[in-house]
Amino acid sequence: MSKDIVELYEDVSDSPLYSEDLAPVPPSQRTWSKWHLAAIWVGMAVCIPTYLLASYMIKTGLNWYEALIIIGLANLIITVPMVLNGHAGVKYGIPFPVIGRAAFGTKGVHLASVTRGIIACGWFGVQTWIGGLAIYAIFNAVTGSTGELGLSFGKFVGFVIFWFINMYFIWKGTESIKWLETYSAPILIIIGLILIYWSYAKADGFSVVLDQSVQLEKTAATITSKEGDYYLNLNSLKDKEGNVKVMEYNIVSDDNTTWQTYTEAPILIANTENVQVQFRNTDEGKEVLSSVVTASVVETESSGSKLWSYLLWLTAMVGFWATMSISIADITRYAATQKDQVVGQFTGLPLTMMLYSFVGIFVTCAAVINFKDVLIADDAPWDPVSLIAKFQNPVVVVIAQVFMIIATLSTNIAANVIAPSNAFSNLWPKKINFKMGGTITGIIGIIIMPWWLLDIISTFLIIVSGLLGPVLGIMIADYFLIRKKQMNLAELFKVDGEYSYGKTGFNRAAMISLFVGVATALIGYWVSAVSFLYSLSWFTGFIISFVLYCLLMKKPS
């Protein structure tokens, strides 16, 4: 066991800030090795959003390796503060809400921890609904039933079943979570490799598959201008032999047009407003229609705008795990040594994110040339749910959906349950334990009704997550620069102790730094002249709050 671990010797069990779940994990219970920590990251990183990450960038014109480089670099960047913030978890054996008392105060930490917890509750609801839909799809595949498009009783039954599966692991405690992540990780990696092999076999070559990524970079309909005139440009996907998959197109927004023979030559158009186009193929006497797409006006991209695009995507990818970087001590407190948490996190996070983003790219590229009903890049089955829907074999559907359930469950438990459980427990340590905190998380996940507001919730949560950079900046500055990694463990559990900051419970320096950091990042949302501050919100908030906190905290209070 590492000599760097600090143990609690003073009896503070009578303090209202103390509970068994928030107390330091003793050395004898530090059972998570570097492989357990790597496995938990595999379990968290393998999820539908990871699978889709590269697609967002490729759709804007980046090629597949540019997208992978950005994802890899972003996750290397976020792993650094993840490891730094995880140091205190290993050394003192305490979770994020208790560590945060040193920087924010015994009461001030609630602002950071509960915000982090509520975000996790939102994601818990979203992921639980997705897992429930997988159970519903399995039922339909086994019984031969046809799934309903809207809300249905069956979907709610699936949601409830998956909710109770999540609750089982919460009620069983952290050791059951370790078991889940340890055994899920190899299954998820094997599934990823199987998907790559399937794509390779179907396309008759590795390079053949990746060559299709160029097609995915081009949207089906774009508008360009030349000498005052506007032209509509159409882009059809091609099969493995290079044959165009579209036979005809129709400008559906123009009542005077009908189906016309597909052409790659620019088409002169009268206006650029809401130009909608649909494509079809009538080969072999069977009509295959594309979705209706709205043509977008494109301009020549300069090298400067390309670089800015890279930076924006890098910020977005860093923000993907921004919330976990704040509460990572909730997990590293169970690690035996600092080496375990460093090696485990650097092994598990960047590599898994790149692997499964690559799986998403590779499988979708293969689908482009293997499924005849995919005519345009806009209809490429990036979403694994859309991909699974293209298979008719019920055995394939069931196996794929079981994989979806395992991936969603492992992500949900590790990323969206542990943090809010500790945050809610920290509100009333003597009344709310970890299991009750997890139950509250599950109840809030139902209350938000993710089936109604799935897209709205996801967008909101991503925005708020990006604004949590200031919290991480303050915590790292406090622990490494202000306190030099030295905290009084017993004082963290005292109401009127060192970290009560004059018995107020709030550290003014942290509160000021937090609000200034968030405000600086947000101001770009309303003031266009400094919009870059909002576009780079995670970096903006982190840097501003980090520097300001160091200036305000000339010495520990």
Side-chain angles (χ1 to χ4, degrees), residues 116-170:
R116 163 67 179 105
I118 293 298
I119 291 173
C121 289
W123 281 120
F124 179 87
V126 170
Q127 293 279 359
T128 303
W129 179 250
I130 291 172
L133 292 179
I135 292 176
Y136 176 68
I138 290 175
F139 173 80
N140 289 331
V142 172
T143 61
S145 305
T146 302
E148 299 180 50
L149 293 177
L151 296 176
S152 68
F153 178 75
K155 290 180 180 179
F156 280 106
V157 171
F159 174 75
V160 171
I161 292 173
F162 194 66
W163 188 88
F164 274 108
I165 293 174
N166 281 269
M167 289 298 108
Y168 169 81
F169 286 98
I170 293 171

Side-chain angles (χ1 to χ4, degrees), residues 141 286 371 373 387-397:
K286 181 180 179 181
F371 292 110
D373 59 343
L387 179 65
I388 293 170
K390 293 187 176 298
F391 291 93
Q392 302 300 317
N393 189 328
V395 176
V396 173
V397 173

Side-chain angles (χ1 to χ4, degrees), residues 488-500:
N488 189 324
L489 191 53
E491 291 294 308
L492 288 168
F493 294 95
K494 296 179 180 179
V495 176
D496 299 329
E498 176 183 343
Y499 305 112
S500 68

Side-chain angles (χ1 to χ4, degrees), residues 72-236:
L73 181 59
N75 282 280
L76 280 173
I77 289 173
I78 197 61
T79 305
V80 172
M82 198 89 71
V83 165
L84 291 176
N85 211 27
H87 187 283
V90 178
K91 183 172 182 177
Y92 296 97
I94 49 180
F96 154 58
V98 179
I99 295 171
R101 292 171 185 173
F104 293 93
T106 53
K107 295 179 181 177
V109 70
H110 295 315
L111 181 61
S113 64
V114 173
T115 300
R116 163 67 179 105
I118 293 298
I119 291 173
C121 289
W123 281 120
F124 179 87
V126 170
Q127 293 279 359
T128 303
W129 179 250
I130 291 172
L133 292 179
I135 292 176
Y136 176 68
I138 290 175
F139 173 80
N140 289 331
V142 172
T143 61
S145 305
T146 302
E148 299 180 50
L149 293 177
L151 296 176
S152 68
F153 178 75
K155 290 180 180 179
F156 280 106
V157 171
F159 174 75
V160 171
I161 292 173
F162 194 66
W163 188 88
F164 274 108
I165 293 174
N166 281 269
M167 289 298 108
Y168 169 81
F169 286 98
I170 293 171
W171 295 332
K172 292 289 285 185
T174 54
E175 280 301 304
S176 71
I177 295 173
K178 183 182 77 171
W179 178 89
L180 170 67
E181 302 299 334
T182 300
Y183 286 99
S184 295
I187 295 173
L188 296 174
I189 291 174
I190 290 170
I191 290 292
L193 296 176
I194 290 173
L195 286 171
I196 291 176
Y197 177 77
W198 172 84
S199 304
Y200 164 82
K202 283 290 184 180
D204 299 324
F206 208 82
S207 61
V208 174
V209 177
L210 291 177
D211 287 344
Q212 310 313 312
S213 66
V214 176
Q215 298 195 66
L216 295 175
E217 298 168 23
K218 302 174 182 177
T219 55
T222 58
I223 297 173
T224 55
S225 62
K226 183 178 180 181
E227 298 177 356
D229 293 322
Y230 291 98
Y231 295 89
L232 177 66
N233 305 276
L234 306 179
N235 293 301
S236 165

Side-chain angles (χ1 to χ4, degrees), residues 477 482 509 513 544-555:
I482 303 301
S513 301
I544 293 294
S545 294
F546 182 96
V547 173
L548 182 57
Y549 184 78
C550 289
L551 294 175
L552 294 175
M553 289 286 291
K554 295 180 180 179
K555 62 179 181 179

